[in-house]
């Protein structure tokens, strides 16, 4: 797995909010695009949350998903499964995999993204306050993936 990238949590949260606003604007007129944007907003919120831990952010959905799952393991907030559901909506919209998102699906996706992003925004700000301005730590992504591969989330 490739090394991650250093990202600014605040910039990622701002970008997530911008994308989510776009998704709301498109939800009734272009549901396929709105569902895709909902996923992108969630992905950038996840990037922010990982960066707030001082970690480099993986370049792939799988890498991000594994770390988010690890950060929320045992928590009632099912971050990893919500991100995976959003990815399925994105794939349906992008590639016609499964059923294309309807307006109702797009509303569900955007509402779920709003809740997800709000939760990660709170947690990101809390973690940033706890950590201060530390340099990102290098994470051994293959070891993390292998360690969590057989563990339920």
């Amino acid at each position: 797995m490739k090394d991650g990238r250093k990202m600014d949590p605040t910039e990622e949260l701002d970008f997530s909010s911008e994308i989510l606003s776009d998704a709301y604007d498109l939800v009734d007129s272009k549901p396929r695009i709105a569902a895709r944007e909902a996923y992108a907003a969630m992905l950038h919120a996840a990037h922010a949350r990982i960066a707030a831990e001082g970690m480099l952010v993986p370049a792939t959905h799988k890498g991000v998903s594994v770390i988010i799952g690890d950060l929320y393991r045992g928590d009632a907030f099912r971050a990893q499964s919500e991100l995976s559901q959003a990815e399925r909506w994105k794939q349906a919209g992008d590639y016609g995999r499964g059923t294309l998102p309807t307006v109702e699906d797009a509303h569900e996706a955007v509402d779920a993204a709003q809740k997800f992003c709000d939760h990660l925004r709170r947690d990101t700000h809390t973690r940033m306050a706890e950590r201060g301005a530390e340099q990102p730590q290098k994470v051994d992504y293959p070891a993390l993936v292998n360690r969590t591969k057989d563990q339920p989330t």
Side-chain angles (χ1 to χ4, degrees):
M1 192 176 293
K2 295 180 180 177
D3 287 345
R5 300 163 287 173
K6 180 179 177 181
M7 292 186 169
D8 180 296
T10 303
E11 288 177 9
E12 288 298 301
L13 287 175
D14 289 346
F15 193 39
S16 174
S17 294
E18 181 181 327
I19 294 168
L20 191 56
S21 176
D22 292 345
Y24 273 112
D25 291 344
L26 297 167
V27 73
D28 290 316
S29 62
K30 297 184 178 183
R32 180 181 60 79
I33 296 170
R36 184 177 65 215
E37 293 299 284
Y39 166 75
M42 292 170 75
L43 186 65
H44 285 281
H47 288 173
R49 180 66 182 89
I50 292 167
E53 288 296 320
M55 296 181 199
L56 297 175
V57 179
T60 65
H61 167 88
K62 181 178 180 179
V64 170
S65 181
V66 166
I67 292 175
I68 285 295
D70 196 49
L71 289 173
Y72 288 97
R73 187 167 311 287
D75 193 297
F77 179 56
R78 306 291 297 168
Q80 188 175 21
S81 62
E82 290 185 30
L83 188 60
S84 293
Q85 173 59 49
E87 184 190 31
R88 287 189 288 280
W89 282 319
K90 176 197 179 299
Q91 289 176 340
D94 283 354
Y95 310 113
R97 293 183 183 157
T99 305
L100 290 176
T102 63
V103 170
E104 291 78 22
D105 293 335
H107 276 279
E108 182 181 343
V110 173
D111 290 344
Q114 181 69 62
K115 290 175 187 170
F116 180 93
C117 292
D118 287 347
H119 194 113
L120 266 66
R121 177 178 294 278
R122 283 189 303 273
D123 291 352
T124 297
H125 285 300
T126 298
R127 190 63 180 128
M128 286 170 61
E130 291 171 353
R131 288 187 70 252
E134 294 179 25
Q135 292 296 315
Q137 65 186 26
K138 185 159 177 114
V139 176
D140 183 354
Y141 297 115
L144 183 60
V145 169
N146 290 333
R147 189 191 82 210
T148 61
K149 190 183 288 183
D150 297 321
Q151 297 174 356
T153 57

